[in-house]
Amino acid sequence: MIITTTAGQRRRLLPVAAALAAGSLVLSACGGAADGDADAEVDMEEVGVGAMEDYDVGDTFVATEPVEFSLLYRDHPNYPLRNDWSFFEHLEEDHNVTLSAENAPLSDWEERRSLVIGAGDAPDFIPVVYPGDETQFISGGALLPVSDYLEHMPNFTQKVEDWGLEEDIDSLYQDDGKFYILPGLHESPQDQYSVAVRWDIWEELGYDEPETWDEFAEQLRGVKEAYPDMVPFSDRWQMDATLSFAAPNFGTQAGWGYSGAYWDEDAEEFTYTAAQDEYRDLLEYFHGLVDDGLMDSESLVQDDDQAIQKFASGQSAAIGGNDQEILSYRTSIEEVGEDDMEVRLIRVPAGPAGDIAPGGQTESGLVLSSSVAEQENFVALLQFIDWLYYSDEGLEFAKWGVEGETFEREGDERVLADSIDIHGLNPEGDEELSADYGFHNGVFMPAHGSTTDLVQSMLRDEVVEFRESMADKERTPVVPATPLDELEREQVSLTETALNDTVSTATAQFILGQRDLEDWDAFVSELEGQGMADYIDKHNEAYERAQQEIDGVEADMDQ
C-alpha cells in the first residue's frame, strides 16, 4: 500500500500563521528573489480608493465610495448572463460595487481565458480557475502573486487556519516563493461521485451496498444471472469518473484524478503513477468486469446519452453518477415509462489499498490580473473578493441571495421564496434562483457555500446521507508543492503530454482486453523511453529544493 495519512505523514510546510505571514520566504530559494516580507507594501493613498479602513472578519464589505471591477464571466447555458440580475443590483446598492462582466461562453471558456491572459488583456479578476491552471501564465507576469497581499484578506486566512487547510495552500506555491490563485475552500471534503445502481434490483436480490469492489463484482454477477439480457454495468464519461473515485482504493490515481507524478507518502518521494503495480491492479479489476460480461465494453467510447438511455431503459443496472445526475437518471426513467425503477448512489467501495477517498479541500477559485496592483481601488478589490468568496455573509449571499427577497429563515433553516426554485427544492416555483436572479452561480460561489452548513443547505436528504457515509473514509494526503522553474515546466510539459497520451491509450486497451496485461512490462518500457524517469526526477528535485528552503525558514523562526 502506498497511500497513508497516519502519523507518518510529512509535516506541513509551515505553521499556517507563519506560512501566511512569511509569504515570500516560503520556497524562495527555489528560484525567486524574496524580499523577506510576507506582504507587499501598498500605498493606501495610491491604491486605497474605496477600501474600508478597518475591514476584518465578520465585517460587511461596503466600499467607501463607488467602485467598479471587471471580470471574465463564464457564461453558462443554464444561467446566461443578465445585467438586470438581483445579484448585481444588490452589489451596487448595498456594497457600492459595480461588476463589469466580459462574457465568455462555456463552450469556449478555457481557450478564451488563455487568450485574454496571454495577450495581457485580462480583466481585474477571472473566476473558475482550478489550481494548476495558473502555472502556464506565471512566467509572463500576467497574474498577481496574491500571497503577497493576504493581510487584506482576513476571511481567507482565517478559514485556512480554522479548517486546517495549510497543506492545501502550501501546495500552491511556485518556484518564486509565491502563489497566484485563490482557491475555493471547503470546511470538509465534498464527495459527489460514485456508482448509481438500480436499487430495486439490489433489494430484489437481497443485496446491501457492497463494502468492497470485489463484492460489487459479485453483485454484478448476480444481476447478470437474474437478468441475462442485461449488461449489469454500462458506464459514462468514458469511465473517467469511475476510475477517478475507484483508484484511491487501489492505491493509485486514474481518470479525472490522474496525475503522472504520484506522491508516495511513505517514501516521501514521487513515483510515476501509471507504472505502479497498483495502477495495473486497477486496470486488471475493470478488465475482469469487461471480460466476464459484467461491464459494457462500450463504456470507454459511448457518449453520455447512450449510457443514460441504456440505464433508463433497463439495459443496464449500474452507471457512474453524482448527486445531481441521479435526478437526470430519474427523469430519463420517467420519460420511458419505467416508474418502478429506484436509483441509488452507493458508498464508494473499499479496495486492496484500503477504504480511501481523495483528500484535499480546495477547488476552482480565481486569479487576478497583475495590473490591478497599480489601480487606485486595488485594496478595495481585495477586500471585496475576500468578502464575496470567503466570508460567511458573502458566501450565503452568493448561494441563497437576500433574506426577505429570495429566501426566508425558518429556525436554523433557509427556505426559498414561494416563487423561486433551484434543483427541485421548490418545484412549485416558476422562477430560477440562478437564471432569473443570478445567485447560486458557479462564477461567484465556487465552493457552493464553503462551510459545511451552507454546502448542505440545498442538498437533498439522500445526498447528505451519501456524503455522511463517505465521511469515515481515509483521505489521500495533499500532494506537496513541486515548484518547477520556467525551463523545468516547459520540459515537463512536453514530456507529460507524450506520457499522458500513451497512458490514456494503454489504459483503454488493457481494460478492453485489446492489449494483454502480460504485456505490462513492455508498456512500462515505453514510458521509460518517453522520459518517465527524467519527468519524475524533476518533480523530486523540485520537492527537495522546497523542503530545504522550508527547513531553513523554520530554523530562522526558531532562533
Side-chain angles (χ1 to χ4, degrees):
M1 174 179 172
I2 288 184
I3 301 176
T4 173
T5 54
T6 62
Q9 189 172 3
R10 173 76 182 187
R11 71 185 187 282
R12 64 174 181 259
L13 296 192
L14 287 171
V16 67
L20 297 182
S24 56
L25 272 177
V26 180
L27 310 185
S28 62
C30 302
D35 60 10
D37 278 335
D39 305 295
E41 293 292 332
V42 296
D43 185 339
M44 292 298 290
E45 292 187 2
E46 295 291 330
V47 297
V49 172
M52 295 174 61
E53 184 175 354
D54 297 313
Y55 172 73
D56 205 348
V57 174
D59 292 338
T60 299
F61 174 76
V62 181
T64 58
E65 61 181 80
V67 292
E68 181 173 337
F69 306 128
S70 61
L71 76 149
L72 186 66
Y73 180 85
R74 185 197 64 177
D75 200 24
H76 199 290
N78 290 345
Y79 37 89
L81 180 65
R82 286 172 45 178
N83 292 326
D84 64 346
W85 273 340
S86 173
F87 176 84
F88 293 130
E89 291 174 355
H90 278 284
L91 285 183
E92 188 168 351
E93 294 172 3
D94 303 337
H95 303 278
N96 245 355
V97 174
T98 299
L99 289 182
S100 173
E102 180 182 337
N103 212 10
L106 176 64
S107 60
D108 192 36
W109 170 246
E110 292 188 4
E111 181 178 354
R112 181 70 175 277
R113 184 182 67 191
S114 296
L115 283 174
V116 298
I117 297 176
D121 297 327
D124 294 341
F125 68 102
I126 301 177
V128 198
V129 180
Y130 284 87
D133 290 350
E134 81 282 11
T135 57
Q136 61 185 305
F137 306 112
I138 292 172
S139 62
L143 301 183
L144 182 78
V146 291
S147 56
D148 283 350
Y149 302 97
L150 295 181
E151 67 170 315
H152 303 291
M153 307 196 72
N155 289 289
F156 174 84
T157 55
Q158 184 192 52
K159 280 183 167 51
V160 169
E161 185 167 8
D162 288 353
W163 295 348
L165 305 185
E166 299 92 343
E167 290 180 343
D168 296 81
I169 301 305
D170 289 341
S171 69
L172 304 176
Y173 279 95
Q174 303 296 323
D175 71 297
D176 59 359
K178 306 172 188 291
F179 63 84
Y180 293 76
I181 184 170
L182 292 168
L185 304 177
H186 278 299
E187 183 177 8
S188 57
Q190 301 299 316
D191 303 291
Q192 300 180 48
Y193 287 84
S194 184
V195 180
V197 303
R198 283 277 306 280
W199 193 245
D200 55 299
I201 293 179
W202 256 246
E203 288 188 319
E204 173 195 333
L205 299 177
Y207 294 153
D208 294 323
E209 290 193 12
E211 294 185 3
T212 67
W213 283 101
D214 285 343
E215 184 181 354
F216 179 62
E218 288 305 310
Q219 292 181 346
L220 293 178
R221 198 177 310 279
V223 172
K224 181 67 174 177
E225 291 173 357
Y227 295 88
D229 294 332
M230 177 184 288
V231 177
F233 189 6
S234 186
D235 207 9
R236 61 181 295 192
W237 295 307
Q238 285 75 53
M239 285 190 67
D240 279 338
T242 298
L243 290 173
S244 184
F245 60 70
N249 301 278
F250 287 79
T252 189
Q253 298 169 323
W256 287 336
Y258 181 79
S259 172
Y262 185 86
W263 176 239
D264 183 336
E265 185 70 14
D266 290 336
E268 293 189 359
E269 67 178 10
F270 289 90
T271 62
Y272 193 73
T273 306
Q276 297 173 316
D277 290 341
E278 290 84 354
Y279 194 84
R280 182 188 188 281
D281 292 343
L282 175 73
L283 303 191
E284 186 173 26
Y285 173 83
F286 284 101
H287 167 65
L289 296 186
V290 173
D291 199 41
D292 291 344
L294 306 179
M295 186 167 194
D296 190 354
S297 62
E298 294 184 351
S299 294
L300 285 151
V301 295
Q302 66 188 352
D303 62 39
D304 289 354
D305 288 341
Q306 290 175 302
I308 294 170
Q309 284 305 307
K310 288 178 181 179
F311 185 71
S313 62
Q315 298 176 59
S316 69
I319 184 174
N322 61 34
D323 49 34
Q324 289 303 312
E325 288 302 311
I326 286 288
L327 299 178
S328 69
Y329 298 161
R330 290 170 180 156
T331 299
S332 297
I333 288 170
E334 291 174 2
E335 290 174 352
V336 299
E338 298 287 352
D339 296 333
D340 57 344
M341 293 183 182
E342 184 179 350
V343 183
R344 180 167 177 168
L345 199 67
I346 63 172
R347 182 183 189 273
V348 176
D355 194 14
I356 304 170
Q361 291 164 225
T362 61
E363 61 171 69
S364 71
L366 57 96
V367 294
L368 287 79
S369 169
S370 58
S371 64
V372 298
E374 301 173 0
Q375 296 177 7
E376 65 177 8
N377 56 19
F378 173 49
V379 175
L381 172 62
L382 294 175
Q383 293 177 347
F384 167 71
I385 287 175
D386 181 69
W387 175 81
L388 180 63
Y389 287 94
Y390 300 105
S391 77
D392 291 346
E393 182 183 46
L395 290 162
E396 181 182 71
F397 169 76
K399 187 178 183 75
W400 279 92
V402 178
E403 185 174 0
E405 177 184 340
T406 59
F407 77 97
E408 301 287 351
R409 294 187 191 275
E410 294 183 0
D412 294 333
E413 294 188 2
R414 306 166 187 84
V415 179
L416 288 170
D418 291 342
S419 63
I420 299 174
D421 183 33
I422 189 73
H423 299 321
L425 288 178
N426 182 25
E428 300 302 318
D430 56 6
E431 296 178 301
E432 282 286 323
L433 184 62
S434 53
D436 296 308
Y437 288 83
F439 301 107
H440 204 273
N441 181 332
V443 172
F444 302 116
M445 54 154 223
H448 289 272
S450 194
T451 66
T452 300
D453 167 63
L454 267 177
V455 169
Q456 293 187 352
S457 65
M458 283 188 178
L459 297 181
R460 307 181 306 280
D461 288 344
E462 65 175 329
V463 178
V464 174
E465 291 172 4
F466 166 74
R467 296 191 180 187
E468 289 178 345
S469 77
M470 295 283 289
D472 62 348
K473 275 183 169 284
E474 183 181 351
R475 296 288 166 175
T476 57
V478 176
V479 178
T482 54
L484 303 167
D485 62 32
E486 183 177 355
L487 178 59
E488 287 172 330
R489 278 198 299 269
E490 292 177 0
Q491 294 170 337
V492 163
S493 178
L494 292 173
T495 305
E496 186 172 59
T497 299
L499 288 169
N500 284 352
D501 288 345
T502 298
V503 170
S504 178
T505 299
T507 295
Q509 290 173 336
F510 282 129
I511 291 176
L512 295 175
Q514 297 169 350
R515 187 169 183 177
D516 198 304
L517 282 159
E518 294 297 321
D519 196 33
W520 185 259
D521 289 344
F523 163 62
V524 174
S525 294
E526 291 173 24
L527 298 176
E528 291 172 345
Q530 291 180 306
M532 176 182 72
D534 184 62
Y535 174 85
I536 291 301
D537 285 346
K538 282 186 168 54
H539 281 83
N540 281 319
E541 289 165 4
Y543 168 72
E544 288 300 328
R545 291 198 305 264
Q547 295 308 309
Q548 290 171 9
E549 172 63 12
I550 292 156
D551 289 341
V553 172
E554 289 180 334
D556 291 341
M557 292 170 57
D558 290 338
Q559 292 179 358

